[in-house]
Amino acid sequence: MDAAELESVLGPRDVVVVEGGDAESYLHSQLSQSVTGMDVGEQRWTFVLQPTGKIDVLARLTRADDARFELDTDAGFGDELLARLERFKIRVDATLTLQAADGAAEADDAARIAMGWPRMGSEIVPGDTIPAGTGLTKLAVDFTKGCYPGQELVERMDSRAAEAPKSLRRLTVAEGTSAGDPVVDGDDEVGTITSVSGTAALGWVKRSSDIGDVVQF
């Protein structure tokens, strides 16, 4: 995946800054991605999960300094990310602050859909979507790290090579198709469209159907 190409499809980002003596250890205990050992300036994608294993937020983690980290996510979901990280912060030397997106940047949604990159609120619904179907687990999960909220579901599905009930797929659709429309395979309704640009779309499709291209990063 080309980093510059991905940057062009992300659009405005909310940023949660986490800084303090316990910033690294606290984030390592909360994220699906490993935080220890990151170099200053290094970036890694991560899920921030509910204890059930469902996604609260997809975010990109940057180590800004020895004791300062920045988590950026799609505009409008910074409050959710901040609230989730604050929820488990007990007796931790770390301060969390939100920097909301200014909205100046615009996302190339057609390119995002062509790439298959999921967007918060469209392909990823907080509290409903599980990591396995997003195509991002190889990118956003470290399967060798210690415990974090939601790990059990992620690890269990991976160890069993279990296929998610639905997977995110790139689809070709008819002109006029809208998000929320059904995905139809023959006579069967097998999923739901989540994003559309012309005749290109993303949607969640049941594992029983072969329609579309499964997203995988």
Coordinates of all heavy atoms in Angstrom, one line a residue, residues 138-172:
K138 N -4.1 -7.6 9.4 CA -2.7 -7.8 9.3 C -2.0 -6.5 9.4 O -0.8 -6.4 9.8 CB -2.4 -8.4 7.9 CG -2.8 -9.8 7.7 CD -2.4 -10.3 6.3 CE -2.9 -11.8 6.2 NZ -2.5 -12.3 4.8
L139 N -2.7 -5.4 9.2 CA -2.1 -4.0 9.2 C -2.2 -3.4 10.6 O -1.3 -2.7 11.1 CB -2.8 -3.1 8.2 CG -2.3 -1.7 8.1 CD1 -0.9 -1.7 7.5 CD2 -3.3 -0.9 7.2
A140 N -3.3 -3.7 11.3 CA -3.7 -3.0 12.6 C -3.6 -3.9 13.8 O -3.9 -3.3 14.9 CB -5.1 -2.4 12.4
V141 N -3.2 -5.1 13.7 CA -3.2 -6.0 14.9 C -1.8 -6.6 15.0 O -1.2 -7.1 14.0 CB -4.2 -7.1 14.8 CG1 -4.1 -8.1 16.0 CG2 -5.6 -6.5 14.7
D142 N -1.2 -6.6 16.2 CA 0.0 -7.3 16.5 C -0.4 -8.5 17.3 O -0.9 -8.5 18.5 CB 0.9 -6.4 17.4 CG 2.3 -7.1 17.7 OD1 2.3 -8.4 17.6 OD2 3.2 -6.4 18.0
F143 N -0.3 -9.7 16.7 CA -0.7 -11.0 17.3 C 0.3 -11.5 18.3 O 0.1 -12.6 18.8 CB -1.1 -12.0 16.2 CG -2.3 -11.7 15.4 CD1 -2.3 -11.0 14.2 CD2 -3.6 -12.0 16.0 CE1 -3.4 -10.7 13.5 CE2 -4.7 -11.7 15.3 CZ -4.7 -11.0 14.1
T144 N 1.4 -10.8 18.5 CA 2.4 -11.3 19.5 C 2.4 -10.5 20.8 O 3.2 -10.9 21.7 CB 3.8 -11.2 18.8 OG1 4.2 -9.9 18.6 CG2 3.8 -12.0 17.5
K145 N 1.6 -9.5 20.9 CA 1.7 -8.6 22.0 C 0.8 -9.2 23.2 O 0.1 -10.1 23.0 CB 1.2 -7.2 21.7 CG -0.2 -7.1 21.3 CD -0.7 -5.6 21.2 CE -0.8 -5.0 22.6 NZ -1.3 -3.7 22.6
G146 N 0.9 -8.5 24.3 CA 0.1 -8.9 25.5 C -1.3 -8.5 25.4 O -1.8 -8.1 24.3
C147 N -2.0 -8.6 26.5 CA -3.5 -8.4 26.5 C -3.9 -7.0 26.3 O -3.2 -6.0 26.6 CB -4.0 -8.8 27.9 SG -3.8 -10.6 28.3
Y148 N -5.1 -6.8 25.7 CA -5.7 -5.5 25.5 C -7.2 -5.8 25.4 O -7.6 -6.9 25.1 CB -5.2 -4.8 24.3 CG -5.4 -5.6 23.0 CD1 -6.5 -5.5 22.2 CD2 -4.4 -6.5 22.5 CE1 -6.7 -6.3 21.0 CE2 -4.5 -7.2 21.4 CZ -5.7 -7.1 20.6 OH -5.8 -7.8 19.5
P149 N -8.1 -4.8 25.7 CA -9.5 -5.1 25.6 C -9.9 -5.5 24.2 O -9.5 -4.9 23.2 CB -10.1 -3.7 25.9 CG -9.1 -3.0 26.8 CD -7.8 -3.5 26.2
G150 N -10.7 -6.6 24.1 CA -11.2 -7.1 22.9 C -10.3 -8.1 22.2 O -10.6 -8.7 21.2
Q151 N -9.2 -8.4 22.9 CA -8.2 -9.3 22.3 C -8.8 -10.7 22.0 O -8.5 -11.4 21.0 CB -7.0 -9.4 23.1 CG -5.9 -10.3 22.6 CD -4.7 -10.5 23.5 OE1 -4.9 -10.6 24.8 NE2 -3.5 -10.7 23.0
E152 N -9.6 -11.2 22.9 CA -10.1 -12.6 22.9 C -10.7 -12.9 21.5 O -10.4 -13.9 20.9 CB -11.0 -12.9 24.0 CG -11.5 -14.3 24.1 CD -12.5 -14.6 25.2 OE1 -12.7 -13.7 26.0 OE2 -13.0 -15.8 25.3
L153 N -11.7 -12.1 21.1 CA -12.3 -12.3 19.8 C -11.4 -12.3 18.7 O -11.4 -13.2 17.8 CB -13.5 -11.3 19.6 CG -14.2 -11.4 18.2 CD1 -14.9 -12.7 18.1 CD2 -15.1 -10.2 18.0
V154 N -10.5 -11.3 18.6 CA -9.5 -11.2 17.5 C -8.6 -12.4 17.5 O -8.4 -13.0 16.4 CB -8.7 -9.9 17.7 CG1 -7.7 -9.8 16.6 CG2 -9.6 -8.7 17.7
E155 N -8.1 -12.8 18.6 CA -7.1 -13.9 18.6 C -7.8 -15.2 18.3 O -7.3 -16.1 17.6 CB -6.5 -14.0 20.0 CG -5.6 -12.8 20.4 CD -4.2 -12.9 19.7 OE1 -3.9 -14.0 19.1 OE2 -3.5 -12.0 19.8
R156 N -9.1 -15.4 18.8 CA -9.8 -16.7 18.6 C -10.1 -16.9 17.1 O -9.9 -18.0 16.6 CB -11.1 -16.7 19.4 CG -11.9 -18.0 19.3 CD -13.0 -18.1 20.3 NE -14.1 -17.1 19.9 CZ -14.4 -16.1 20.7 NH1 -13.8 -15.8 21.8 NH2 -15.4 -15.3 20.3
M157 N -10.5 -15.8 16.4 CA -10.8 -15.9 15.0 C -9.6 -16.2 14.2 O -9.6 -17.0 13.3 CB -11.6 -14.7 14.5 CG -12.9 -14.5 15.1 SD -13.9 -13.2 14.3 CE -14.3 -14.0 12.7
D158 N -8.5 -15.5 14.6 CA -7.2 -15.7 13.9 C -6.7 -17.1 14.1 O -6.3 -17.8 13.1 CB -6.2 -14.7 14.3 CG -4.9 -14.9 13.6 OD1 -4.8 -14.6 12.4 OD2 -3.9 -15.3 14.2
S159 N -6.7 -17.6 15.3 CA -6.1 -18.9 15.6 C -6.9 -20.1 14.9 O -6.3 -21.1 14.6 CB -6.0 -19.2 17.1 OG -7.3 -19.2 17.7
R160 N -8.2 -19.8 14.8 CA -9.0 -20.8 14.1 C -9.2 -20.6 12.6 O -9.9 -21.4 12.0 CB -10.4 -20.8 14.8 CG -10.4 -21.2 16.3 CD -11.8 -21.1 16.8 NE -11.8 -21.4 18.3 CZ -12.9 -21.4 19.1 NH1 -14.0 -20.9 18.5 NH2 -12.8 -21.7 20.3
A161 N -8.5 -19.6 12.1 CA -8.7 -19.2 10.7 C -10.1 -19.1 10.4 O -10.6 -19.5 9.3 CB -8.0 -20.2 9.8
A162 N -10.9 -18.5 11.3 CA -12.3 -18.4 11.1 C -12.7 -17.2 10.2 O -12.1 -16.1 10.3 CB -13.0 -18.2 12.5
E163 N -13.6 -17.4 9.2 CA -14.0 -16.4 8.3 C -15.1 -15.6 9.0 O -16.0 -16.2 9.6 CB -14.5 -17.0 7.0 CG -14.8 -16.0 5.9 CD -15.2 -16.7 4.6 OE1 -15.2 -18.0 4.6 OE2 -15.7 -16.0 3.7
A164 N -15.1 -14.3 8.9 CA -16.1 -13.4 9.5 C -17.4 -13.7 8.8 O -17.5 -14.0 7.6 CB -15.7 -12.0 9.3
P165 N -18.5 -13.5 9.5 CA -19.9 -13.7 8.9 C -20.1 -12.8 7.7 O -20.7 -13.2 6.7 CB -20.8 -13.4 10.0 CG -20.1 -13.6 11.3 CD -18.6 -13.2 10.9
K166 N -19.5 -11.6 7.7 CA -19.5 -10.7 6.5 C -18.2 -10.1 6.3 O -17.4 -10.0 7.2 CB -20.5 -9.6 6.8 CG -22.0 -10.0 7.0 CD -22.9 -8.8 7.2 CE -22.5 -8.1 8.5 NZ -23.4 -6.9 8.8
S167 N -17.9 -9.8 5.0 CA -16.6 -9.2 4.7 C -16.8 -8.0 3.9 O -17.8 -7.9 3.1 CB -15.6 -10.2 4.0 OG -16.2 -10.6 2.8
L168 N -15.9 -7.0 4.0 CA -16.0 -5.8 3.2 C -15.4 -6.1 1.8 O -14.4 -6.7 1.7 CB -15.1 -4.7 3.9 CG -15.2 -3.3 3.2 CD1 -16.6 -2.8 3.2 CD2 -14.2 -2.4 3.9
R169 N -16.2 -5.7 0.8 CA -15.8 -6.0 -0.6 C -15.9 -4.8 -1.5 O -16.8 -3.9 -1.3 CB -16.6 -7.2 -1.1 CG -16.6 -8.4 -0.2 CD -17.2 -9.6 -0.8 NE -17.4 -10.6 0.2 CZ -17.9 -11.9 -0.1 NH1 -18.2 -12.2 -1.3 NH2 -18.0 -12.8 0.9
R170 N -15.1 -4.8 -2.5 CA -15.2 -3.9 -3.6 C -16.2 -4.4 -4.6 O -16.1 -5.6 -5.0 CB -13.9 -3.6 -4.3 CG -12.9 -2.8 -3.4 CD -11.6 -2.5 -4.2 NE -10.9 -3.7 -4.3 CZ -9.9 -4.0 -3.4 NH1 -9.6 -3.2 -2.4 NH2 -9.2 -5.2 -3.6
L171 N -17.2 -3.6 -5.0 CA -18.3 -4.1 -5.9 C -18.5 -3.1 -7.1 O -18.2 -2.0 -7.0 CB -19.6 -4.1 -5.0 CG -19.6 -5.0 -3.8 CD1 -20.7 -4.5 -2.8 CD2 -19.7 -6.4 -4.1
T172 N -19.0 -3.7 -8.1 CA -19.5 -2.9 -9.3 C -21.0 -2.9 -9.2 O -21.6 -3.9 -9.2 CB -19.0 -3.5 -10.6 OG1 -17.5 -3.6 -10.6 CG2 -19.4 -2.7 -11.8

